[in-house]
Amino acid sequence: MNIAREIAGCRPFPVDHDRQERCRTVLNSCGMTITELAMHLGISKPLVSNVISGRQPSPTTERRIATFLGVSEDALFPPRTAGQIAAMREAERLEKARAARLKAERMKARELASEGAA
Protein backbone atom coordinates (compact mmCIF):
# COMPACT_ATOMS: atom_id res chain seq x y z
CA MET A 1 0.00 0.00 0.00
CA ASN A 2 1.20 3.51 -0.75
CA ILE A 3 2.29 5.11 2.54
CA ALA A 4 0.89 8.50 1.46
CA ARG A 5 -2.56 6.94 1.07
CA GLU A 6 -2.22 5.00 4.31
CA ILE A 7 -1.45 8.09 6.40
CA ALA A 8 -3.72 10.50 4.50
CA GLY A 9 -6.42 10.11 7.16
CA CYS A 10 -3.95 10.80 9.95
CA ARG A 11 -3.95 14.59 9.68
CA PRO A 12 -3.19 16.62 11.65
CA PHE A 13 0.06 14.83 12.23
CA PRO A 14 1.21 14.51 15.84
CA VAL A 15 4.68 15.43 17.05
CA ASP A 16 7.07 12.52 16.49
CA HIS A 17 9.43 12.77 19.46
CA ASP A 18 11.64 9.98 18.11
CA ARG A 19 12.28 11.93 14.89
CA GLN A 20 13.02 15.05 16.90
CA GLU A 21 15.53 13.24 19.09
CA ARG A 22 17.25 11.62 16.12
CA CYS A 23 17.63 15.02 14.42
CA ARG A 24 18.71 16.73 17.63
CA THR A 25 21.45 14.12 18.12
CA VAL A 26 22.77 14.54 14.57
CA LEU A 27 22.56 18.34 14.72
CA ASN A 28 24.40 18.37 18.07
CA SER A 29 27.14 16.13 16.68
CA CYS A 30 27.54 18.63 13.81
CA GLY A 31 27.51 21.57 16.22
CA MET A 32 24.51 23.02 14.42
CA THR A 33 21.12 24.42 15.36
CA ILE A 34 17.84 24.13 13.47
CA THR A 35 18.16 27.81 12.57
CA GLU A 36 21.59 27.23 11.05
CA LEU A 37 20.33 24.16 9.19
CA ALA A 38 17.46 26.18 7.74
CA MET A 39 19.86 28.92 6.65
CA HIS A 40 22.18 26.39 4.93
CA LEU A 41 19.23 24.81 3.12
CA GLY A 42 17.69 28.16 2.20
CA ILE A 43 14.31 27.33 3.74
CA SER A 44 12.42 28.76 6.68
CA LYS A 45 13.11 27.66 10.24
CA PRO A 46 9.39 26.91 10.88
CA LEU A 47 9.34 24.55 7.89
CA VAL A 48 12.49 22.75 9.07
CA SER A 49 11.07 22.51 12.61
CA ASN A 50 7.73 21.18 11.36
CA VAL A 51 9.38 18.60 9.11
CA ILE A 52 11.75 17.44 11.87
CA SER A 53 8.89 17.15 14.36
CA GLY A 54 6.79 15.20 11.87
CA ARG A 55 4.01 17.81 11.96
CA GLN A 56 4.50 18.58 8.27
CA PRO A 57 5.89 15.55 6.44
CA SER A 58 7.74 16.52 3.28
CA PRO A 59 9.76 13.84 1.49
CA THR A 60 11.64 16.50 -0.47
CA THR A 61 12.66 18.48 2.61
CA GLU A 62 13.44 15.30 4.57
CA ARG A 63 15.72 14.19 1.72
CA ARG A 64 17.47 17.58 1.65
CA ILE A 65 18.02 17.55 5.42
CA ALA A 66 19.32 13.98 5.44
CA THR A 67 21.62 14.61 2.48
CA PHE A 68 22.99 17.81 4.00
CA LEU A 69 23.65 16.06 7.32
CA GLY A 70 25.12 12.97 5.63
CA VAL A 71 22.60 10.57 7.18
CA SER A 72 20.21 8.17 5.46
CA GLU A 73 16.60 9.33 5.25
CA ASP A 74 15.28 6.22 6.98
CA ALA A 75 17.75 6.60 9.84
CA LEU A 76 16.72 10.20 10.44
CA PHE A 77 13.05 10.04 9.43
CA PRO A 78 11.82 6.47 9.92
CA PRO A 79 8.62 5.62 8.04
CA ARG A 80 5.51 5.50 10.24
CA THR A 81 2.40 3.40 9.82
CA ALA A 82 -1.08 4.76 10.30
CA GLY A 83 -1.23 2.80 13.57
CA GLN A 84 1.95 4.40 14.88
CA ILE A 85 0.69 7.84 13.95
CA ALA A 86 -2.62 7.12 15.69
CA ALA A 87 -0.75 6.03 18.84
CA MET A 88 1.34 9.23 18.79
CA ARG A 89 -1.82 11.29 18.32
CA GLU A 90 -3.45 9.56 21.30
CA ALA A 91 -0.37 10.16 23.47
CA GLU A 92 -0.43 13.83 22.44
CA ARG A 93 -4.15 14.06 23.29
CA LEU A 94 -3.56 12.52 26.72
CA GLU A 95 -0.67 14.91 27.40
CA LYS A 96 -2.81 17.92 26.46
CA ALA A 97 -5.61 16.68 28.73
CA ARG A 98 -3.12 16.21 31.58
CA ALA A 99 -1.75 19.72 31.08
CA ALA A 100 -5.27 21.19 31.04
CA ARG A 101 -6.13 19.32 34.25
CA LEU A 102 -2.99 20.60 35.98
CA LYS A 103 -3.75 24.14 34.84
CA ALA A 104 -7.29 23.90 36.22
CA GLU A 105 -5.94 22.59 39.54
CA ARG A 106 -3.46 25.50 39.75
CA MET A 107 -6.23 28.00 39.00
CA LYS A 108 -8.42 26.48 41.71
CA ALA A 109 -5.53 26.62 44.20
CA ARG A 110 -4.97 30.31 43.36
CA GLU A 111 -8.67 31.04 43.86
CA LEU A 112 -8.63 29.31 47.22
CA ALA A 113 -5.46 31.13 48.26
CA SER A 114 -6.90 34.53 47.28
CA GLU A 115 -10.14 33.77 49.14
CA GLY A 116 -8.15 32.87 52.26
CA ALA A 117 -6.13 36.08 52.05
CA ALA A 118 -9.23 38.26 51.81
Side-chain angles (χ1 to χ4, degrees):
M1 175 181 276
N2 182 331
I3 190 68
R5 279 195 211 115
E6 183 178 339
I7 64 175
C10 296
R11 293 186 188 272
F13 291 106
V15 171
D16 187 333
H17 296 287
D18 179 51
R19 282 172 64 123
Q20 285 181 315
E21 188 55 38
R22 288 168 186 245
C23 290
R24 186 176 297 120
T25 299
V26 173
L27 285 170
N28 286 341
S29 71
C30 295
M32 185 177 291
T33 65
I34 290 176
T35 302
E36 292 168 330
L37 176 62
M39 287 178 10
H40 283 291
L41 296 174
I43 54 181
S44 72
K45 180 184 181 265
L47 175 59
V48 172
S49 293
N50 285 334
V51 168
I52 286 174
S53 73
R55 280 274 191 207
Q56 186 177 345
S58 168
T60 303
T61 305
E62 290 170 5
R63 188 175 312 108
R64 289 182 65 197
I65 291 170
T67 301
F68 181 81
L69 296 174
V71 180
S72 75
E73 287 179 63
D74 285 346
L76 206 53
F77 305 110
R80 300 294 186 212
T81 65
Q84 289 171 317
I85 293 170
M88 286 185 282
R89 184 183 301 115
E90 179 63 13
E92 193 172 80
R93 185 191 67 74
L94 291 172
E95 178 56 30
K96 285 180 182 179
R98 186 187 72 79
R101 189 176 59 253
L102 289 173
K103 181 179 178 180
E105 289 171 4
R106 285 192 306 269
M107 294 298 289
K108 183 68 174 173
R110 283 187 200 130
E111 288 174 15
L112 292 173
S114 66
E115 288 173 5

